[in-house]
Amino acid sequence: MSAVITGMGLFTPAGRGVADTFDALLTGRSGLRRPPEGHPAAGSLEVAGVLPDIDPRSVASGPETKVLDRVVLLALITAAEALADAGIEVGRDVDPERIAVIVGGVGGMSTLEGQVLARAARGRAAVSPYLLTGILPNMPSARIAIAHGIRGYSSSVGTACASGAQAVADGVRLIRAGEADVVVCGASEAPLFGTFADTFGNARALARGWDEPTEASRPFDKRRNGFVLAEGAALLVLERAGHADGRGVRGYAEVAGFGANTDAYHPTAPRPDGAGAAACMRRALAAGGVEPADVGYVNAHGTGTKLGDVAETIALAGVFGTGGVPVSSTKALTGHLLGASGVLEAAATALALDSGLLPPTYHLDDPDPECEADHVRAVPRPTRAGHALTNSFGFGGQNVSLLLRRLSGPARRAATPAAG
């Protein structure tokens, strides 16, 4: 049984919703800026992917509005948008027992930090009885299920920056096993607060020293010096193809296969030889029954770190040959949404196949010779690709590659031509 993407909910630094986000990726509209004065991460981050404030009353009511962590708010917003985009109302368009929800991410860490500080300042009585429901990683999935009456499989995924892509892979598994007709899957992350920002900053993993914040994220560029931390959420509606056909709905793309494995090398660093990442990509291709020559685009993990970009380039060359496939990283505009990046990039890859336009890597002014590839640079590139791959790699050596297949027929949405 095949799984198709029939809905998307996107809340990203570069844009809100399908059209706004993809137009930003095509036209080079960056979502990166300096955290404004008073922001929780203002003293810790030079540049970040910052979202607007969210009124909790837009997704909840009563006392609930005071206890929902930002990761839950983002998940609720994007889940509602994804289901609406797919045209699905639970109980009307799908049996509540036959729809699942899988949301990745680290959970409500900003709530935890706030409660630890409150206890230190005011004692035990300051600790909220709602602490657990604020920080547990399964709360985004659970709150979505409660909000929409979803009574099927529900889980959270914690594979670091591969979490969102892993959630999509797990959703495909459920559909292929006949355990669900529809899966809401993806990730939500809200890491822009002091302690979380400081740990990356002290590890010297973040981009720094840039006069213009929008130019700080530079995947594969010779001057890159780290990634830009960002918040956001992306959720997809995966649907059994026969179920979507029965509703008369055309998807954006099919998830034709996936690969998932582990480097077993280091807690934070990638394997320098890219062997784990290359094996992961080969697994995805084999699962979809395609050869490397059948793939017309790779949306790279491409965070802008020195080691990560080189290791991924080596892995790509091992699978496709040097310059054997067009490559780009959309993190140049969105920053790194940690676990939510993989599912956002799966959405971007599906939209690239659907529209026939590959989003470029912006700010790739001087490609690093160690990152030699067929980079899509500066302007979108027209494509007739039938298959595309998107990579997500996380701390602990977590690797996930998703293989997407273009669907036949007219495009789901018309892409806005990008200015050259």
Side-chain angles (χ1 to χ4, degrees):
M1 286 184 283
S2 60
V4 294
I5 301 168
T6 56
M8 300 182 183
L10 308 176
F11 200 162
T12 82
R16 171 79 180 272
V18 175
D20 190 36
T21 300
F22 193 54
D23 290 345
L25 300 183
L26 293 179
T27 60
R29 188 174 70 245
S30 176
L32 308 184
R33 60 189 177 114
R34 302 195 191 284
E37 185 177 350
H39 189 280
S44 300
L45 295 175
E46 294 182 17
V47 56
V50 183
L51 299 182
D53 290 338
I54 302 170
D55 184 351
R57 293 171 297 180
S58 65
V59 294
S61 59
E64 295 268 293
T65 60
K66 299 179 180 180
V67 300
L68 296 180
D69 189 90
R70 192 168 173 85
V71 293
V72 173
L73 295 176
L74 290 168
L76 286 169
I77 289 169
T78 49
E81 290 180 353
L83 287 166
D85 188 39
I88 288 178
E89 180 181 324
V90 180
R92 182 195 68 186
D93 304 292
V94 61
D95 182 338
E97 306 283 347
R98 297 285 302 169
I99 177 171
V101 55
I102 309 171
V103 182
V106 299
M109 292 296 100
S110 63
T111 292
L112 179 60
E113 178 177 66
Q115 290 291 283
V116 169
L117 294 175
R119 186 179 188 278
R122 304 195 303 276
R124 293 169 58 189
V127 178
S128 169
Y130 297 103
L131 171 62
L132 277 179
T133 55
I135 67 173
L136 289 174
N138 72 310
M139 278 300 121
S141 293
R143 293 285 188 175
I144 291 169
I146 292 167
H148 296 278
I150 295 172
R151 300 201 299 269
Y153 181 92
S154 175
S155 74
S156 59
V157 177
T159 51
C161 299
S163 296
Q166 184 68 62
V168 175
D170 290 350
V172 173
R173 279 196 182 100
L174 287 179
I175 288 174
R176 289 183 174 176
E179 297 181 30
D181 294 319
V182 176
V183 184
V184 180
C185 53
S188 178
E189 298 278 27
L192 303 186
F193 59 94
T195 302
F196 216 73
D198 288 339
T199 187
F200 286 114
N202 292 342
R204 301 188 65 80
L206 300 178
R208 59 198 180 278
W210 296 93
D211 293 333
E212 177 50 63
T214 59
E215 297 179 359
S217 183
R218 313 179 71 88
F220 304 113
D221 189 79
K222 194 172 184 179
R223 293 199 295 156
R224 72 191 186 282
N225 63 4
F227 69 85
V228 174
L229 193 62
E231 62 180 343
L235 292 179
L236 305 182
V237 172
L238 293 183
E239 193 165 353
R240 180 171 54 82
H243 191 271
D245 290 342
R247 298 195 303 119
V249 173
R250 182 190 180 276
Y252 291 99
E254 176 191 350
V255 184
F258 63 85
N261 68 358
T262 308
D263 278 352
Y265 172 74
H266 191 272
T268 57
R271 284 183 63 100
D273 61 4
C280 186
M281 286 186 267
R282 292 191 186 99
R283 286 189 183 193
L285 298 183
V290 303
E291 298 296 327
D294 298 323
V295 176
Y297 172 59
V298 174
N299 187 295
H301 185 60
T303 61
T305 63
K306 290 290 186 182
L307 295 178
D309 287 3
V310 172
E312 185 172 11
T313 300
I314 292 170
L316 287 167
V319 176
F320 299 101
T322 302
V325 64
V327 175
S328 71
S329 172
T330 46
K331 287 187 179 73
L333 302 176
T334 67
H336 192 358
L337 282 69
L338 304 182
S341 283
V343 65
L344 168 58
E345 289 151 15
T349 304
L351 292 167
L353 290 175
D354 184 55
S355 67
L357 287 173
L358 303 181
T361 305
Y362 286 91
H363 316 308
L364 183 48
D365 301 329
D366 186 10
D368 186 339
E370 292 189 85
C371 297
E372 183 181 355
D374 180 12
H375 292 291
V376 182
R377 298 170 56 192
V379 295
R381 182 184 299 183
T383 184
R384 299 181 65 183
H387 296 86
L389 202 66
T390 179
N391 288 330
S392 296
F393 309 132
F395 280 178
Q398 306 283 168
N399 303 315
V400 178
S401 296
L402 302 173
L403 176 69
L404 304 187
R405 178 179 290 130
R406 178 170 51 84
L407 298 174
S408 60
R412 173 72 179 263
R413 69 173 291 277
T416 300

